[in-house]
Amino acid sequence: MFGLKSDLSKNKAWKKLAKHYKDMRDVEMRGLFRKDPQRAERYCITLDSIMVDYSKNRITNKTMDYLFELAQEKKVPEKIEQMFRGDKINQTENRAVLHVALRNRENSPIYVDGKNIMADVNAVLAKMRKFSDDVRLGKFVGYTGKKLVNIVNIGIGGSDLGPKMATEALRKYWAKDINCYFISNIDGTACNEVLNKINPEETLFIVCSKTFTTIETLTNAHTCRKWLIDALGEHAVSKHFVAVSTNAKEVAKFGIDTENMFEFWDFVGGRYSMWSAIGLSIAIAVGMDNFEKMLDGAHEMDMHFKYTEMSKNIPVILALLGVWYSDFFNFRSTAVVPYDQYLQYVPAYLQQLVMESNGKFVSNDGEYVKYMTSPVVFGGAGTDVQHSFFQMMHQGTSVIPCDIIVPAISHNEIGEHHEILVANALAQGEALMKGKTVKEAYDEMRRAGKPKEEAKRLKKYKSFEGNRPSNTILFKKIDAHALGMLIAMYEHKTFVEGIIWNIDSFDQMGVELGKQMALSILPELQSNASGISHDSSTKNLITMVKRMRK
Ligand code: G6Q
């Protein structure tokens, strides 16, 4: 589609997989399970409190062997090594990629440009501990002496989705008197709806922006600053605003004392930054001990990823399955379905992680790729989504592999709720895999007493093709440690997919063009200025918006 070079199909293992795909495309998982009583155990890995069952995939040992061969050919182990070593694997931006340093709990030295960065990482963690403790204990209070109980994170993209997802996931661990809010969208509604709920005297704003130049975040931060000053005066700002950024100069320009700034670094990508001070809202909500447990969990996954051979390596296996489906089966989307209300923002978080990292069409060699890269990722909390997009998951013309994430124990064990929830999670995986043949559908209707003609008429509608893949990610209970493991697992999965596709998973140049154009349209909406020449549709839309606003 895009060009002829950078073609993985010249790769030996790729060729084997392409051939093997022809043998596999019609193989039914039902049959594979029937023939192999050990299948569930064979394709299952447990690490601490997480178990990943990947047996409901369209694979055999041969498939996995070829996929591991592909990973070897694409030098996955060496690339993993390079990341942990601090090599500049974000090649378009010439940066190291070291979110793993933020949770390097062994504190072994990691060097960037000859400097061990662990001292800086630890210093910020210590500053986070002091500050979050002080806020939680009411030692750092607002301008009028009141305890800061409303924590408002202002940030967008990587400076929003991680903290928002993780605070929600760990809601059960929040300090009783603290509430967290998130303002990301430039839509004034986002700001207004939060500000309407809170008292300025009790509010701490955390302005999270790596660059401190992002228009949404700065506009929202200025609006909140004005709101605070209107209520409490200019002097109140230092008691109610802190910043998390790599850009001290811009933070000072905004009017936040750099004493109240928490630093992070270029080697931390936005969407990989919730482990840094970008996670300050998490630390305040659940306490620094829990925040560090989250880092411990991520570190455990890091060590598993770094040291475990590929055939037992969870992120590597999940990534290879992703490639298998994207590039051989041509399945273009994937769903994530957490059966845990507290994990409701995980799909949105993963949408950014996966699609911003791997939605790329130029390879690391500067050539257009000729194969599929990132699938479309979507999802939502089960069982809600069973009543929406699961129709398509079961009977649609596209096959959508999915991850079903489910905790064995709920934080809210009420009556039978959790058993019903888990039963549904497990049933969906089984139903997607097994399906129901036309004959089975017919027989079932007949047994239920439906007249012959009616059963005949409806049998196809009520049949399920099945053979639809899923991974089940089962863990004991959602706590900080498990969350850290889960998110680090997906980060590394995404990285490995990027290695196979030979793309830079750590830049995001595709978000720039729209931003650039918005800047040229803005003055046209505000006055009669005319910017760049637009197509007739955009021109017309600008005119119509102005007319409607008159
Ligand atoms: C993530 C991206 C992007 C970024 C936002 C916010 O990897 O880089 O989502 O996080 O654009 O950027 P700032 O933190 O610089 O405001």
Side-chain angles (χ1 to χ4, degrees):
M1 172 188 176
F2 295 117
L4 292 170
K5 292 190 183 163
S6 193
D7 184 356
L8 267 170
S9 63
K10 291 193 190 80
N11 186 289
K12 254 203 217 149
W14 194 273
K15 279 188 195 155
K16 287 188 195 171
L17 282 161
K19 192 156 169 272
H20 175 63
Y21 161 71
K22 290 186 185 140
D23 299 332
M24 285 302 292
R25 70 183 157 202
D26 299 321
V27 171
E28 300 232 319
M29 285 187 274
R30 270 193 195 213
L32 294 174
F33 272 99
R34 213 178 304 121
K35 273 190 241 146
D36 177 8
Q38 306 302 316
R39 187 173 170 87
E41 285 148 58
R42 193 186 312 287
Y43 300 125
C44 180
I45 302 176
T46 303
L47 178 67
D48 202 335
S49 59
I50 288 195
M51 182 185 126
V52 177
D53 175 349
Y54 62 101
S55 61
K56 294 191 187 81
N57 280 292
R58 293 164 73 166
I59 52 167
T60 59
N61 281 351
K62 209 179 208 177
T63 320
M64 293 315 294
D65 286 347
Y66 291 157
L67 286 169
F68 294 133
E69 227 176 288
L70 175 67
Q72 280 299 355
E73 279 183 37
K74 298 302 295 175
K75 300 195 167 41
V76 167
E78 285 95 317
K79 300 270 161 101
I80 295 174
E81 187 71 40
Q82 284 173 12
M83 177 173 76
F84 280 89
R85 204 167 54 207
D87 287 6
K88 300 201 169 166
I89 58 169
N90 176 355
Q91 55 94 16
T92 57
E93 297 178 311
N94 195 30
R95 286 178 187 166
V97 175
L98 280 174
H99 40 284
V100 292
L102 304 170
R103 57 222 193 191
N104 174 20
R105 309 302 288 159
E106 283 152 35
N107 204 19
S108 50
I110 299 179
Y111 295 92
V112 174
D113 295 327
K115 183 189 166 196
N116 180 7
I117 55 171
M118 288 314 298
D120 288 350
V121 168
N122 292 330
V124 173
L125 283 175
K127 189 170 174 178
M128 284 173 73
R129 176 172 286 279
K130 165 98 180 66
F131 185 74
S132 57
D133 280 355
D134 285 355
V135 172
R136 287 165 62 88
L137 295 170
K139 287 192 195 164
F140 184 102
V141 290
Y143 185 62
T144 59
K146 291 210 168 139
K147 192 170 180 202
L148 297 166
V149 293
N150 306 311
I151 311 301
V152 182
N153 190 91
I154 307 175
I156 196 164
S159 298
D160 166 70
L161 289 161
K164 184 173 168 187
M165 176 278 293
T167 47
E168 183 64 18
L170 302 177
R171 188 177 267 276
K172 206 65 189 184
Y173 299 88
W174 288 16
K176 291 280 167 290
D177 54 351
I178 281 181
N179 258 313
C180 290
Y181 302 89
F182 292 84
I183 302 178
S184 55
N185 202 333
I186 189 65
D187 186 341
T189 304
C191 231
N192 221 21
E193 283 299 324
V194 171
L195 297 182
N196 282 341
K197 288 189 192 100
I198 55 179
N199 171 0
E201 290 177 276
E202 301 176 328
T203 299
L204 175 71
F205 293 99
I206 307 176
V207 187
C208 285
S209 178
K210 183 174 169 181
T211 54
F212 230 77
T213 55
T214 307
I215 191 164
E216 291 93 334
T217 301
L218 288 188
T219 308
N220 281 325
H222 277 291
T223 301
C224 293
R225 190 173 187 272
K226 183 173 180 307
W227 174 83
L228 185 95
I229 291 173
D230 287 349
L232 304 177
E234 184 93 35
H235 292 299
V237 172
S238 65
K239 286 286 177 193
H240 294 266
F241 272 83
V242 296
V244 183
S245 186
T246 57
N247 192 344
K249 210 171 119 208
E250 288 298 322
V251 169
K253 217 160 108 190
F254 176 85
I256 295 177
D257 187 346
T258 44
E259 277 293 298
N260 289 341
M261 173 183 142
F262 295 79
E263 192 193 4
F264 72 118
W265 311 270
D266 265 354
F267 56 77
V268 181
R271 56 192 171 278
Y272 299 88
S273 66
M274 66 176 226
W275 323 97
S276 72
I278 290 288
L280 188 59
S281 55
I282 313 170
I284 297 174
V286 302
M288 197 62 191
D289 286 348
N290 272 318
F291 186 82
E292 290 192 349
K293 278 185 195 154
M294 186 178 84
L295 302 184
D296 292 341
H299 181 65
E300 187 171 343
M301 187 56 76
D302 292 345
M303 294 301 97
H304 164 83
F305 179 54
K306 187 176 174 189
Y307 293 117
T308 310
E309 61 171 283
M310 290 199 289
S311 65
K312 296 195 174 64
N313 193 313
I314 298 171
V316 170
I317 288 170
L318 293 178
L320 292 172
L321 293 170
V323 171
W324 177 230
Y325 292 131
S326 293
D327 294 287
F328 296 92
F329 284 83
N330 208 16
F331 298 159
R332 291 174 181 249
S333 41
T334 180
V336 186
V337 186
Y339 280 78
D340 187 328
Q341 194 66 33
Y342 290 129
L343 296 183
Q344 60 176 311
Y345 297 133
V346 166
Y349 175 84
L350 292 181
Q351 225 161 26
Q352 180 194 31
L353 175 67
V354 177
M355 296 203 277
E356 198 166 48
S357 297
N358 288 341
K360 315 263 162 89
F361 69 4
V362 181
S363 78
N364 282 320
D365 307 317
E367 306 289 355
Y368 294 115
V369 302
K370 220 188 132 193
Y371 39 86
M372 273 270 294
T373 58
S374 178
V376 174
V377 180
F378 68 101
T383 57
D384 283 357
V385 296
Q386 289 178 200
H387 300 263
S388 63
F389 64 74
F390 263 60
Q391 163 63 40
M392 178 170 166
M393 301 279 292
H394 285 285
Q395 288 188 320
T397 48
S398 312
V399 174
I400 304 166
C402 70
D403 282 359
I404 294 167
I405 304 172
V406 58
I409 302 169
S410 168
H411 279 292
N412 299 290
E413 296 279 354
I414 310 168
E416 288 184 307
H417 283 248
H418 195 64
E419 270 121 27
I420 298 174
L421 180 81
V422 175
N424 271 276
L426 305 187
Q428 290 300 330
E430 189 169 26
L432 285 163
M433 186 272 285
K434 278 191 177 159
K436 190 187 281 180
T437 63
V438 174
K439 182 172 179 317
E440 283 166 348
Y442 176 82
D443 291 346
E444 194 178 286
M445 281 186 282
R446 290 293 291 142
R447 274 197 306 275
K450 271 240 163 19
K452 238 184 192 167
E453 273 317 298
E454 186 70 348
K456 230 168 150 183
R457 188 175 75 80
L458 291 177
K459 64 183 181 185
K460 277 192 199 148
Y461 296 105
K462 286 185 172 280
S463 72
F464 293 75
E465 195 181 49
N467 218 17
R468 300 192 170 208
S470 66
N471 297 306
T472 307
I473 297 150
L474 174 68
F475 54 93
K476 203 165 163 193
K477 187 175 184 172
I478 192 69
D479 59 15
H481 190 275
L483 182 71
M485 288 183 83
L486 185 74
I487 299 303
M489 175 189 88
Y490 278 113
E491 286 178 343
H492 296 321
K493 173 197 174 192
T494 306
F495 172 44
V496 174
E497 286 182 332
I499 299 172
I500 306 284
W501 290 324
N502 189 25
I503 51 179
D504 185 342
S505 298
F506 304 103
D507 64 6
Q508 56 282 321
M509 304 207 178
V511 303
E512 294 306 325
L513 179 61
K515 280 195 213 171
Q516 211 180 344
M517 290 196 162
L519 285 180
S520 98
I521 292 177
L522 180 62
E524 295 176 56
L525 288 175
Q526 288 171 331
S527 69
N528 283 330
S530 65
I532 55 170
S533 73
H534 299 291
D535 59 88
S536 60
S537 159
T538 309
K539 212 153 64 190
N540 200 29
L541 288 165
I542 293 172
T543 310
M544 284 309 290
V545 169
K546 285 166 91 167
R547 200 172 295 163
M548 285 180 185
R549 281 172 67 84
K550 258 191 194 145

